[in-house]
Amino acid sequence: NYKLKTKTKMGRVFFDTVENVQNLGAAYQVLASDSNKTFVLDLAGGFVVTLPADATTNIGWNCRFYVKTASDAAYLIKCANVSGDQFVGGFSVASTTAGFGHAVLAAANDSQIAFDANLANGAGEPGSYMDIVKIAANNYAISGFMISDDADSTGAAVLSNI
């Protein structure tokens, strides 16, 4: 007495699909529903991106920003509540011209990230990225890699308390 095993059919399978990637070419208000999304920054004129209000997101909310097109006018990533929310953590910055790198740590109350390709001690060349994860009320951990063509950039101008 043998029983034949039945095979479960696979439903529809799609290949070469990309989810949770959004190209940005203008100012944007990030939504709580944008968690786990990658934003591609793509306008030479730059623009402002505002993170969602702290009360609308849970711990673990996260996103990533990638620079596709360098901006000399800056892509500014701001906390919704610049006097209450802050970034913690840090990132690496490397120079395309000098072959060195630096570690940059957030200071108390830093609430803005500037991807600016020509800012002294800044960074934001194509390929630069920053991950943001909410780790506690009003606290967003950052980590990433920023690229600068400033031969002596320290990366100190990337973060600020606005």
Side-chain angles (χ1 to χ4, degrees):
N1 235 349
Y2 293 100
K3 290 187 178 181
L4 295 175
K5 293 183 180 180
T6 59
K7 292 185 178 180
T8 305
K9 290 185 177 181
M10 255 172 82
R12 295 173 70 181
V13 178
F14 298 96
F15 297 96
D16 296 324
T17 60
V18 178
E19 293 183 16
N20 294 327
V21 176
Q22 182 172 343
N23 197 68
L24 295 179
Y28 184 70
Q29 170 63 58
V30 180
L31 307 172
S33 61
D34 286 331
S35 185
N36 202 33
K37 187 173 275 189
T38 297
F39 295 100
V40 178
L41 306 172
D42 190 14
L43 179 72
F47 49 82
V48 175
V49 177
T50 305
L51 297 177
D54 182 73
T56 67
T57 59
N58 295 317
I59 292 173
W61 181 94
N62 67 91
C63 68
R64 172 178 273 191
F65 293 93
Y66 261 107
V67 175
K68 177 181 177 185
T69 303
S71 172
D72 290 347
Y75 301 110
L76 300 176
I77 313 302
K78 297 182 177 193
C79 290
N81 178 2
V82 296
S83 62
D85 299 341
Q86 67 179 350
F87 295 119
V88 297
F91 60 92
S92 299
V93 62
S95 170
T96 62
T97 59
F100 67 84
H102 292 283
V104 180
L105 300 176
N109 302 314
D110 279 345
S111 58
Q112 177 176 273
I113 301 167
F115 290 88
D116 191 324
N118 73 342
L119 180 65
N121 289 314
E125 294 298 324
S128 297
Y129 71 91
M130 192 74 69
D131 293 322
I132 301 174
V133 180
K134 181 177 178 178
I135 59 169
N138 305 108
N139 281 279
Y140 294 88
I142 58 169
S143 62
F145 184 73
M146 301 287 281
I147 303 166
S148 176
D149 60 8
D150 179 354
D152 59 355
S153 179
T154 64
V158 172
L159 298 171
S160 60
N161 174 10
I162 57 170

